[in-house]
Amino acid sequence: MVTAAGVIVVGLAYLAERKATEVARETGQAINPINDDNIFNRGVNAVGAKLTGNENFQLGSWIAKKIHG
């Protein structure tokens, strides 16, 4: 019975470690500044889309158009 409990605990620890690694990887990508799909970029583009009415708004493109016409 002790062996079975030990196997269950080890199995649960393994699953918890895998999930923690996955969450850490996803969190890292969400705040990665060179990832075009990071939370800051998505937030700015969502606000810009609401303000301009353009559902495909991108801040970088908007700035380029303002500078270069």
Side-chain angles (χ1 to χ4, degrees):
M1 186 171 268
V2 173
T3 303
V7 169
I8 291 172
V9 168
V10 169
L12 290 174
Y14 172 74
L15 291 175
E17 186 273 334
R18 281 187 50 192
K19 186 64 175 175
T21 302
E22 179 184 330
V23 168
R25 188 178 308 117
E26 290 174 4
T27 302
Q29 284 301 311
I31 60 173
N32 182 355
I34 60 172
N35 179 4
D36 288 338
D37 197 32
N38 69 43
I39 59 174
F40 309 110
N41 184 40
R42 288 188 311 212
V44 167
N45 289 339
V47 170
K50 287 288 184 184
L51 293 175
T52 63
N54 176 4
E55 64 184 43
N56 297 319
F57 178 85
Q58 290 189 341
L59 181 61
S61 298
W62 181 81
I63 290 172
K65 287 178 186 175
K66 292 296 181 185
I67 292 173
H68 301 291

